[in-house]
Amino acid sequence: AQKVTQAQTEISVVEKEDVTLDCVYETRDTTYYLFWYKQPPSGELVFLIRRNSFDEQNEISGRYSWNFQKSTSSFNFTITASQVVDSAVYFCALSEARGSQGNLIFGKGTKLSVKP
Amino acid sequence: SQTIHQWPATLVQPVGSPLSLECTVEGTSNPNLYWYRQAAGRGLQLLFYSVGIGQISSEVPQNLSASRPQDRQFILSSKKLLLSDSGFYLCAWSVLRAGAGELFFGEGSRLTVL
């Protein structure tokens, strides 16, 4: 069965600190996709990244970086030098290639608070 | 560019009243469409998805229903709301099939059932 676990319910950091949001997933498929979304207080989910299961290269985009490790079924997200605008709920999600019609299985989210 | 809109943004309804949330997508054709619900303190739960006009798949049995009368229109309805229907409802679309594409979400509709 598919499952996404975000063990950290809430994290609070001070501006400029680095912070890592953990994501562990379960799937029986060999082809799957992993995602991260950001939900600011306005409520809309903003797409951040998609990774397929065959690409384990870590990715960096500005202050954001993602560490995908199939050996531990993890897809962790790190924000470097956090800013107040990073305060949001972050969701990790999984989609299997077959039979899913594209819908995503979401974790319960991690609420990140960045204080000035 | 593609855009997605849903309305109303906020809704307060009494128990037993009907519900209609509407979602439209612009700038793309034949998208997959989805309705998700986010209850307080919980993640997002897929309610319905549609791969074409009139084609609706339900993921969770409940008193809600969905319809897709036009290619880029997706409607979430209920004949009689329950207290447990309160939550934040998100419409989303994607263009790729079989789990390859990211979902793009609307602004959300916050429903409070009293």
Side-chain angles (χ1 to χ4, degrees):
Chain A
Q2 315 161 44
K3 186 179 178 182
V4 175
T5 301
Q6 295 178 254
Q8 305 148 308
T9 306
E10 291 192 42
I11 300 176
S12 183
V13 299
V14 177
E15 212 171 15
K16 297 185 183 177
E17 286 184 15
D18 299 347
V19 58
T20 295
L21 309 181
D22 298 333
C23 173
V24 174
Y25 62 91
E26 295 177 29
T27 177
R28 293 180 182 174
D29 237 357
T30 55
T31 303
Y32 52 90
Y33 302 83
L34 297 165
F35 304 78
W36 275 96
Y37 282 83
K38 173 181 180 180
Q39 187 179 39
S42 60
E44 181 179 351
L45 267 80
V46 178
F47 166 75
L48 295 178
I49 189 171
R50 178 187 70 203
R51 238 20 197 167
N52 73 59
S53 52
F54 299 110
D55 183 2
E56 283 192 76
Q57 272 195 323
N58 291 333
E59 182 154 338
I60 298 175
S61 176
R63 296 184 296 106
Y64 295 171
S65 62
W66 291 269
N67 184 355
F68 177 26
Q69 292 195 341
K70 288 178 77 170
S71 60
T72 56
S73 297
S74 65
F75 186 42
N76 296 338
F77 173 30
T78 297
I79 301 175
T80 303
S82 59
Q83 299 176 3
V84 172
V85 293
D86 296 326
S87 297
V89 180
Y90 291 87
F91 290 94
C92 181
L94 164 72
S95 177
E96 292 178 342
R98 290 176 298 175
S100 68
Q101 298 300 335
N103 55 286
L104 306 185
I105 305 299
F106 285 84
K108 292 189 176 182
T110 297
K111 182 178 181 180
L112 173 65
S113 298
V114 181
K115 301 186 187 307
Chain B
S1 64
Q2 301 91 354
T3 58
I4 178 170
H5 296 291
Q6 59 178 108
W7 67 92
T10 306
L11 202 57
V12 180
Q13 293 285 101
V15 169
S17 64
L19 170 73
S20 181
L21 301 179
E22 194 162 336
C23 170
T24 59
V25 180
E26 302 280 340
T28 186
S29 297
N30 197 26
N32 278 1
L33 296 173
Y34 309 83
W35 278 110
Y36 279 84
R37 177 170 61 198
Q38 184 179 19
R42 299 173 66 177
L44 285 88
Q45 179 186 39
L46 178 67
L47 301 176
F48 301 94
Y49 66 88
S50 171
V51 299
I53 296 174
Q55 299 179 61
I56 308 294
S57 296
S58 174
E59 291 291 302
V60 181
Q62 59 220 324
N63 69 318
L64 299 172
S65 62
S67 62
R68 185 170 176 173
Q70 299 179 40
D71 181 44
R72 290 169 290 176
Q73 184 185 27
F74 205 24
I75 298 171
L76 182 69
S77 305
S78 174
K79 292 182 179 177
K80 287 186 178 181
L81 284 169
L82 306 173
L83 285 174
S84 57
D85 292 325
S86 292
F88 190 54
Y89 289 81
L90 288 150
C91 181
W93 69 275
S94 72
V95 289
L96 297 178
R97 310 301 186 201
E102 59 268 32
L103 300 188
F104 297 97
F105 286 84
E107 310 95 327
S109 299
R110 191 165 301 281
L111 171 66
T112 302
V113 182
L114 302 175

